[in-house]
Amino acid sequence: MFVLLSKFEFSMKFKIDPKIMFQNIIDFEYYPNFMKQIQNVKIIKKSENEIITEETIILKSLIKKEIVQQTIHQIKENKIHSEIISGIAKNSIIDIILDKSEEETNVNVKIELKLGFKGRIFEPLIKKYLKMYVVGILRKINTRILEKN
């Protein structure tokens, strides 16, 4: 049984075209270059509207925990719906929606963190790292795009 522990959302603004931002967000295999805690991202299956990935993530605080999970990413125009389908955060959902406003792209992120019994002891750590990863990856994508141009 899974327990919904946290629901949170945030948004960020970038001076980048949403299509370019979106293409970089779905470049999942590049994520280990953004965060050292993301050890590996492997594409398991890929189609036009869906990508299944397997991620290996290292969480460190007083203890070190390696998490291997799989995620289904449903790709729509300017929207990514990601559901973790294995691991301690199984059934957790991350929605990323990009909206263009004037000369900026608004990136809206909604997260539903669900953890099973084993994962509950890591909840504060997972919640902290999850937001840190998403914010960090978006900022590094922004920097990567600006450096290319």
Side-chain angles (χ1 to χ4, degrees), residues 83-125:
E83 182 175 350
I84 299 170
I85 58 172
S86 68
I88 62 173
K90 183 177 179 179
N91 298 324
S92 293
I93 294 171
I94 302 172
D95 284 317
I96 300 175
I97 301 166
L98 287 75
D99 295 313
K100 177 92 172 144
S101 70
E102 296 179 23
E103 295 183 15
E104 293 182 322
T105 296
N106 296 319
V107 180
N108 302 298
V109 180
K110 295 180 183 178
I111 298 173
E112 283 184 21
L113 178 61
K114 297 177 185 177
L115 299 172
F117 183 72
K118 287 181 181 178
R120 291 178 73 185
I121 61 171
F122 297 106
E123 187 263 341
L125 191 59

Side-chain angles (χ1 to χ4, degrees), residues 48-109:
E48 186 177 324
N49 299 320
E50 185 176 272
I51 300 172
I52 300 175
T53 56
E54 181 176 273
E55 306 90 23
T56 304
I57 301 165
I58 304 295
L59 300 179
K60 288 184 186 177
S61 65
L62 297 174
I63 57 173
K64 180 178 174 181
K65 175 72 176 163
E66 179 180 278
I67 297 172
V68 178
Q69 65 185 29
Q70 288 188 354
T71 307
I72 294 178
H73 309 276
Q74 295 175 345
I75 313 298
K76 297 180 181 172
E77 187 177 338
N78 290 338
K79 181 180 180 181
I80 304 160
H81 175 82
S82 300
E83 182 175 350
I84 299 170
I85 58 172
S86 68
I88 62 173
K90 183 177 179 179
N91 298 324
S92 293
I93 294 171
I94 302 172
D95 284 317
I96 300 175
I97 301 166
L98 287 75
D99 295 313
K100 177 92 172 144
S101 70
E102 296 179 23
E103 295 183 15
E104 293 182 322
T105 296
N106 296 319
V107 180
N108 302 298
V109 180

Side-chain angles (χ1 to χ4, degrees), residues 20-21 23 26 30 54 63 65 69 73 77 85 87 109 125 129-130 133-134 142 146-147:
I20 295 170
M21 187 73 171
Q23 287 305 311
I26 63 172
Y30 196 82
E54 181 176 273
I63 57 173
K65 175 72 176 163
Q69 65 185 29
H73 309 276
E77 187 177 338
I85 58 172
V109 180
L125 191 59
Y129 275 110
L130 187 56
Y133 289 162
V134 174
N142 181 59
L146 292 175
E147 287 175 351

Side-chain angles (χ1 to χ4, degrees), residues 3 5-6 18 30 32 39 43 67 96 105 119 125 139:
V3 179
L5 292 176
S6 302
Y30 196 82
Q39 296 288 300
I43 302 290
I67 297 172
I96 300 175
T105 296
L125 191 59
R139 286 184 177 154

